[in-house]
Amino acid sequence: MESGRRILSSKTYETVKTFLFFYVVLRHSIKVQRHLRARGLFTTARELYTWIAQYIIMLALRLPAARRKVKTEMDKARLDIENSLVAKGADVTRHLSLPAEGHTPEWILAEMEKMDQEMGKPNTWKAGKLSGAVYHGGDDMERVIVAAYAKYCVSNPLHPDVFPTIRKMEAEIVAMTLRLYNNPDGAGTMTSGGTESIIMSVKTHRDWARAVKGITEPELIMPASGHAAFDKGAAYLKIKVHSIPVDPITRKVDMRAVKRAINPNTIMLVGSTINFPDGCQDDIEALGKLAVQHRIGLHVDCCLGSFIVPFLEKAGLSEGVNGKYKVHPFDFRVPGVTAISCDTHKYGFAPKGSSVIMYRDAQLRRYQYYVNPDWVGGVYASPSLSGSRPGALIAGTWAAMQYMGSNGYLESCRQIVTCARRIADTIEASIPELYILGSPPASVVAFGSKNAEVNVLEVGDKMSQRGWHLNALSNPSAVHIACTRLTVDAVDMFIADLKDSVREAKTQPSGKGTMVAVYGLGNSSAVGPAMVGQLAEAFLDTLYKA
Ligand SMILES: *Cc1c(COP(=O)(O)O)cnc(C)c1O
């Protein structure tokens, strides 16, 4: 009797063990199979190879001799970064501890002026020789924003009962933006910028998928040209990312590859109008069809497109010219679009620290909220990442939108897009060494070199020597300019400088500029990305050198 029961229980034990074993094997093979289907055999093998190569090189770099060499090189690079960012010398005043007595307002302004002089480059951005960065609405606009700031300097929307006007203005900013993107009955919130809007949307879709579809190992699918904020959000929120290659000519995402990457763990797809690297647009209608079919989310990133792309149609620019620059539907009118991010602080000309995340309906927005009903400090409920928020920024954004009005944005869209198209057309017509990436419908133009005769990163470095701050891109190597209102007046200078830079890059390449050094290094070997990563960390450290 006794031993009979023991035999039985050990048999049960064996069965459970076998079952568990097959369960684990099955789960892993499903995972592997989904991974293979999403990436393809070739890419998976290449990823594996890169990973092993990097691992071996990192091991080799731990050998004392190699470590010393790397350290010397890194120290040199670190010093270069520091020298370029931090003012040196005994005459530089440093404020490293609080002054015992507070200073007067006059002293403070005078000290800021002095620091501007010491650091050099005060207001160089005004010459317009830069890509994006400053989305300036003009001097009048600046006064309007500063006045709004001053009026609501200390306000905090975390306490809507104390600051009812701020609450109203935020709701109105969201409502105005929703209408612009053709979803007046939708819902949204403001955030501190495009990155927060995107991270919130990823969190919203993750929590929605968990609640509605029971997904506990979420995956997200984005074009390789999508913004790094999605990777950042996915890294924070533990979500697997499938980055899908884009066509080298059209710059549109490979839809067949997107389809292959979808599996029961997929929570959302991503598309951009327009994307950051080359300013092109993904096929939102095709992505929307997939989203509907698989009942998953589709986030359209209009952080950059912001207050330009919704005006292209009205400006008569959406049809393009000679088959180029056409813009296809991208807003909530496309079935399947569940969320759109729009940066008021880009082409909305609002002060920095302001963006809107929109959802198809209020029900979806619920998943963005954080609520803690039994916190010791009271019932805590907040709509987005921050707790306390600057009400002054909301007032500044509201003021900017009221000041510009629909016609103001329409005019700025016309000017900026005309400027960008002029740059693209001129490059295609009269700089035979370069080509334009895709057919960018709005404000960003990216160019690469047609052959090895000229290195486009070298061109970028020659442009830097002429005072331009442009962006370097990888895969393929390219340089872009995001046109703003400042570029409109600097466009002739840009074209002239670009022609000179191409000529010089061809005849006298130095190979020493930042773009060539950093981006060349990143692409040069398996160890490149790791080294660039270390350099980037050194750069971030340097930002906090007082
Ligand atoms: C700028 C940008 C973002 C991120 O916005 P931040 O305001 O810098 O956080 C996201 N997507 C695109 C396409 C952008 O250009």
Side-chain angles (χ1 to χ4, degrees), residues 132-203:
V134 179
Y135 294 83
H136 189 46
D139 291 339
D140 291 350
M141 166 74 98
E142 212 170 294
R143 276 192 287 277
V144 171
I145 291 173
V146 171
Y149 251 83
K151 190 163 163 54
Y152 295 99
C153 188
V154 298
S155 63
N156 179 357
L158 189 62
H159 305 281
D161 46 342
V162 187
F163 302 105
T165 314
I166 292 292
R167 186 210 65 77
K168 180 170 183 287
M169 285 193 277
E170 179 172 14
E172 289 177 355
I173 291 164
V174 173
M176 286 188 275
T177 314
L178 276 165
R179 195 165 284 270
L180 210 53
Y181 280 83
N182 287 301
N183 190 18
D185 298 325
T189 74
M190 279 189 80
T191 67
S192 63
T195 301
E196 190 187 341
S197 286
I198 286 169
I199 294 175
M200 291 301 23
S201 172
V202 172
K203 179 233 184 270

Side-chain angles (χ1 to χ4, degrees), residues 128 317 325 411-427 442-445 468 481-492 494-495:
L317 292 162
Y325 312 133
E411 186 48 33
S412 85
C413 164
R414 204 173 269 140
Q415 284 182 9
I416 291 167
V417 174
T418 306
C419 166
R421 289 184 185 180
R422 184 157 158 239
I423 291 175
D425 286 341
T426 311
I427 290 175
S443 56
V444 172
V445 182
W468 288 89
I481 179 163
C483 298
T484 64
R485 278 160 70 121
L486 294 166
T487 325
V488 173
D489 295 325
V491 65
D492 290 323
F494 177 83
I495 290 170

